[in-house]
């Protein structure tokens, strides 16, 4: 049995209500009203089901964008049928989030996906703490997405990653599991990315059981063997990942 399984079996399920949905980056962000307060680290997620959708066996994985009082806003994504007033069950915050370097001043947020939504919580942290930030990816050419990025954050195409590596003191990647090999090629062409403590990666991967059944579908190959993104991630140190 995986050592974390007892922890996950004790995960509590909570109930919340969808307060509003907001069009953002060409998708919808959902704001829940929860009981009490919810503390989270950028990169952590909720596993949620609509209360009245009995056909949905697997939870939706919803990354947290921000928390304001009892309101929890989730990163934009496509979710059919989720409407204000509906009740949802959720567990979380789950997983391990970003370990932000204490003295970071220049942060580059680079998404290899076609949408940087999962990086919004870290961008909000950077804004609150006065960090200079650049967000980069091929998605910057899409005005529907880039138009919703705060004006205080500079945008850059992925082709400028070499320059960003020289400028930043911390780099955060958002990478779908299917694009891990692309990230591996980047680390080969820019060895400076592998400086200790310099870069972390959110690996976006299906997490159907969130650790409860140890399905292994979310496993990520690391230098210490395969580990589960649902529990030991989804944020990893770049140095930890094995691209072999
Ligand atoms: S072990 Fe099943 S989702 Fe991680």
């Amino acid at each position: 049995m995986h050592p974390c399984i007892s922890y996950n079996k004790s995960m509590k399920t909570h109930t919340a209500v969808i307060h509003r949905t907001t069009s953002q980056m060409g998708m919808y962000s959902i704001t829940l009203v929860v009981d009490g307060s919810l503390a989270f680290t950028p990169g952590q997620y909720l596993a949620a089901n609509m209360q009245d959708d009995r056909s949905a066996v697997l939870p939706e994985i919803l990354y947290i964008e921000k928390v304001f009082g009892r309101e929890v806003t989730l990163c934009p994504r496509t979710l059919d049928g989720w409407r204000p007033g509906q009740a949802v069950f959720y567990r979380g915050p789950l997983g391990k989030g970003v370990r932000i370097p204490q003295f970071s001043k220049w942060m580059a947020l680079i998404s290899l996906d076609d949408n940087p939504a999962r990086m919004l919580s870290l961008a909000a942290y950077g804004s609150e703490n006065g960090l200079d930030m650049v967000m980069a990816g091929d998605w910057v050419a899409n005005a529907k997405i880039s138009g919703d990025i705060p004006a205080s954050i500079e945008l850059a195409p992925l082709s400028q990653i070499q320059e960003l590596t020289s400028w930043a003191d911390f780099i955060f990647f958002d990478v779908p599991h299917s694009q891990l090999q692309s990230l591996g090629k980047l680390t080969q062409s820019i060895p400076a990315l592998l400086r200790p403590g310099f870069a972390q990666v959110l690996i976006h991967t299906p997490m159907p059981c969130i650790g409860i059944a140890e399905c292994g579908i979310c496993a990520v190959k690391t230098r210490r063997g395969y580990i589960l993104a649902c529990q030991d991630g989804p944020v990893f140190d770049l140095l930890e990942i094995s691209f072999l």
Side-chain angles (χ1 to χ4, degrees):
M1 178 178 285
H2 190 280
C4 293
I5 198 73
S6 57
Y7 164 75
N8 268 330
K9 278 185 173 162
S10 69
M11 282 190 301
K12 279 190 182 164
T13 299
H14 306 273
T15 308
V17 175
I18 300 175
H19 182 52
R20 63 176 176 274
T21 59
T22 311
S23 177
Q24 194 180 6
M25 295 177 159
M27 300 187 290
Y28 284 95
S29 61
I30 288 171
T31 299
L32 305 176
V33 174
V34 300
D35 286 334
S37 60
L38 186 148
F40 82 106
T41 306
Q44 286 191 298
Y45 63 93
L46 302 183
N49 291 87
M50 260 197 297
Q51 192 175 38
D52 55 1
D53 187 359
R54 296 179 197 285
S55 62
V57 179
L58 302 178
E60 297 285 349
I61 302 301
L62 302 169
Y63 289 88
I64 302 167
E65 179 184 338
K66 63 185 173 199
V67 175
F68 183 72
R70 291 175 53 214
E71 291 190 1
V72 179
T73 300
L74 303 161
C75 294
R77 51 164 294 175
T78 308
L79 276 174
D80 288 336
W82 291 54
R83 304 267 183 271
Q86 289 173 328
V88 300
F89 295 126
Y90 74 91
R91 285 185 256 193
L94 300 173
K96 290 183 183 156
V98 186
R99 292 153 311 275
I100 301 166
Q102 212 178 343
F103 302 108
S104 177
K105 287 183 181 164
W106 302 285
M107 187 158 65
L109 307 175
I110 301 172
S111 179
L112 302 193
D113 205 352
D114 53 10
N115 195 303
R118 286 179 294 275
M119 303 195 298
L120 288 177
S121 56
L122 191 53
Y125 168 88
S127 295
E128 283 164 19
N129 289 277
L131 273 59
D132 283 344
M133 285 182 288
V134 176
M135 292 181 76
D138 288 337
W139 50 268
V140 295
N142 183 337
K144 239 185 192 176
I145 297 173
S146 56
D148 280 343
I149 303 290
S152 59
I153 300 175
E154 282 190 47
L155 301 179
L158 201 52
S159 56
Q160 287 185 12
I161 188 168
Q162 183 96 48
E163 293 89 326
L164 287 174
T165 305
S166 305
W167 168 81
D169 59 14
F170 178 63
I171 290 194
F172 184 71
F173 286 101
D174 167 50
V175 181
H177 195 282
S178 58
Q179 291 292 325
L180 270 181
Q181 288 313 314
S182 304
L183 182 61
K185 283 181 190 156
L186 279 177
T187 61
Q188 280 176 352
S189 59
I190 313 174
L193 285 171
L194 294 172
R195 296 202 299 268
F198 182 52
Q200 292 173 34
V201 187
L202 190 161
I203 299 178
H204 177 51
T205 185
M207 297 193 279
C209 83
I210 53 170
I212 291 173
E214 275 189 294
C215 68
I217 286 174
C218 67
V220 171
K221 192 176 179 188
T222 70
R223 291 169 193 250
R224 53 192 167 107
Y226 282 95
I227 58 178
L228 303 177
C230 62
Q231 296 173 345
D232 299 314
V235 178
F236 298 85
D237 196 293
L238 179 60
L239 274 177
E240 211 182 341
I241 299 168
S242 170
F243 297 106
L244 299 176

